[in-house]
Amino acid sequence: MAEHPIYVTSPLLPALEEYLPYLEKIWATKTLTNGGPMHIELERALCSYLGVDYISLFTNGTVALITALQALEISGEVITTSYSFVATAHSLLWNGLTPVFVDIDPDSFNLDPSKIEAAITPRTTAIMPVHCYGGPCDVDAIQAIADKHDLKVIYDAAHAFGVSRKGDTILKHGDLSILSFHATKVFNTFEGGAIICPDAKTKTKIDRLKNFGFVNEISVVDFGINGKMSEINAAFGLLQLKHIDQAIAQRRQIDDHYRHMLQGVKGLHCPAQSEDVTQNHSYFPILVRDDFPASRDEVYERLKQNNIFARRYFYPLISAFQMYSHLESSAVSNLAVANKIANQVLCLPIYPGLSTSTVEEIAAIIKGF
Ligand SMILES: *Cc1c(COP(=O)(O)O)cnc(C)c1O
């Protein structure tokens, strides 16, 4: 029994005194928002850290998703996944778009490219895949389909901060990629998000859309929203960046230790990324398969009785929520793999500061069945 409750994640939160110099700078300039010095500095620092050319910071990842769709003038139907956080599909509804759910690949949990073309109709204008748990989508296959059918690709990369393949960031694929800097994510600004843009022109458009559509003091040319990141959030992001490499390294150690402790347990599967992916270890999903002596929910409950709060990401599927369940593409028969994985998956606690002994305790509880 864990002494204190152990949650699936705990935010990266540097010591209080480390925040003070950042706050002093803001108090000195009296600039609180609207693209102040912290905002400019964080955009520069993130471009450099992530290896991207242009980034536009947002108040959160959901408004970034909504704005990305608006910026590309997406209409009609968008192909996406039901195996994600609900904000992925909600961003489509906020733009008056119809989500069309396509099933996932059983190994990567990402959109299965071989099933995308069958879902394309004359109304389809875009694909919105998710790099689930930070694992890269099959970006080449998805781009080939998009090129063939003249579709835009907007990646929900909320989980993919800092992920690269063969040394290249995965955030430069498709037309736009969206990040979330929510407290629960690997890199946080308390609340925050961003759009990765391919060029200066697109960034200018997106920057305008997040500021009500203003081009200058007296002209509004788009029905934009207020999506701006404040100076406090940007400053907190700069501080996070100082700690992020160490935080990801600690996550990697926890990931390795879980794998070591859980290896060979019958009916339990710990999905792995290919060797050429540099992960951020944002999640540690396990699959509790039919030949495990207990169900996924029994494992979840047993952990809870021991003060350990694992999460069933992603259960229920987005397609099961009432505002989506009526869609033809939400049928269980259309999403057989996603439904199966949603009933088997459990994300175990992983965050910097989670002790080796707690990892061992969690593994022992699971092995106790
Ligand atoms: C967290 C998350 C979002 C939403 O980001 P917020 O910053 O919380 O608005 C969107 N998509 C996915 C896949 C997420 O995990």
Side-chain angles (χ1 to χ4, degrees), residues 230-304:
S230 84
E231 287 290 279
I232 290 246
N233 298 104
F236 289 180
L238 286 167
L239 175 56
Q240 285 266 317
L241 266 187
K242 290 191 174 170
H243 295 271
I244 191 70
D245 285 336
Q246 205 199 349
I248 292 173
Q250 284 185 36
R251 286 174 173 273
R252 181 167 306 126
Q253 280 175 4
I254 293 163
D255 184 309
D256 286 346
H257 203 51
Y258 270 130
R259 277 177 210 282
H260 175 69
M261 297 302 296
L262 294 172
Q263 124 192 335
V265 177
K266 191 169 175 284
L268 208 72
H269 176 60
C270 303
Q273 290 293 329
S274 81
E275 294 276 304
D276 54 19
V277 174
T278 305
Q279 298 177 68
N280 61 15
H281 306 279
S282 46
Y283 298 86
F284 193 84
I286 60 168
L287 297 182
V288 182
R289 291 184 165 156
D290 293 342
D291 51 342
F292 189 75
S295 71
R296 184 274 311 273
D297 286 346
E298 285 168 319
V299 177
Y300 167 79
E301 292 297 339
R302 175 84 59 93
L303 288 168
K304 215 153 101 172

Side-chain angles (χ1 to χ4, degrees), residues 60-62 65 84-85 87-88 130 156 158-159 180 182 185 192:
N60 61 56
T62 304
L65 280 169
S84 181
F85 182 60
T88 308
V130 177
D156 181 340
H159 301 173
S180 166
H182 183 255
K185 304 300 205 272

Side-chain angles (χ1 to χ4, degrees), residues 33-52:
T33 184
N34 286 70
M38 294 296 177
H39 190 279
I40 293 168
E41 201 179 327
L42 183 59
E43 285 195 345
R44 273 202 208 115
L46 284 174
C47 280
S48 152
Y49 182 84
L50 297 171
V52 301

